[in-house]
Amino acid sequence: MSDSTELICTKSRREFCVSACHAATAVALGSVLQSCGGGGSPAGPGGGNTAPPLTVVNGTVAGGTVTVAVDGASPLATVGGAALVRSSSGDMLVARTAQDAFAALTAICTHENCTITGFRTPTYVCPCHGSQFNTAGQVQSGPATRSLRTFPTQFAGTTLTITL
Ligand code: FES
């Protein structure tokens, strides 16, 4: 092989390698993008760990309590129901755990303070990172590690009273 032939072969080999490397990079980049969600369905808030939203019910603050009307149309009218109670004292999660018993919790997630808005019976689900709590406020799955604060409740007639 002459020097000029060797030079052409060397150059061709180098060009081949450059092309092959570019192709390999493109393939690798494509698979990286795909694994980052570029080619798949986007993960929603909570990594797809979402739940139907709670019905919002208004509460009235008076003298260190929040009162909530529980009429026939309320999501709290039946055992197993739950609601996000909104008042000037903040948001609370309320569940009817028995005919005359309710569980009231702060709606502020103990992980990074998002308002918990999702509920898949019987579990509350935080929309931010998917932490799950039972209706007693205990963590069922993280990243949260601490229970939700609970509040005492009383029920008389059609009025639920939550003591702050
Ligand atoms: S703030 Fe609720 S899971 Fe992160």
Side-chain angles (χ1 to χ4, degrees):
M1 197 180 290
S2 73
D3 284 351
S4 63
T5 308
E6 179 68 27
L7 186 63
I8 289 169
C9 284
T10 304
K11 186 178 176 203
S12 296
R13 243 182 279 137
R14 188 175 300 130
E15 282 172 354
F16 171 79
C17 281
V18 168
S19 307
C21 286
H22 282 171
T25 303
V27 169
L29 197 58
S31 63
V32 167
L33 288 175
Q34 189 124 20
S35 67
C36 290
S41 58
N49 206 0
T50 55
L54 284 156
T55 302
V56 176
V57 169
N58 290 319
T60 305
V61 177
T65 64
V66 176
T67 55
V68 182
V70 182
D71 57 20
S74 170
L76 297 170
T78 55
V79 175
L84 179 64
V85 173
R86 206 150 254 174
S87 75
S88 58
S89 287
D91 292 339
M92 290 182 180
L93 303 170
V94 178
R96 189 164 192 160
T97 54
Q99 196 56 40
D100 292 321
F102 293 78
L105 315 165
T106 177
I108 306 304
C109 184
T110 55
H111 177 229
E112 289 184 358
N113 300 325
C114 284
T115 299
I116 298 166
T117 55
F119 185 68
R120 189 182 302 113
T121 307
T123 306
Y124 295 114
V125 181
C126 181
C128 289
H129 313 100
S131 288
Q132 298 183 16
F133 302 85
N134 63 17
T135 54
Q138 296 160 329
V139 176
Q140 302 300 291
S141 110
T145 57
R146 288 175 292 124
S147 298
L148 300 172
R149 183 181 165 202
T150 63
F151 299 94
T153 61
Q154 284 182 310
F155 186 55
T158 58
T159 302
L160 172 65
T161 303
I162 303 165
T163 303
L164 299 174

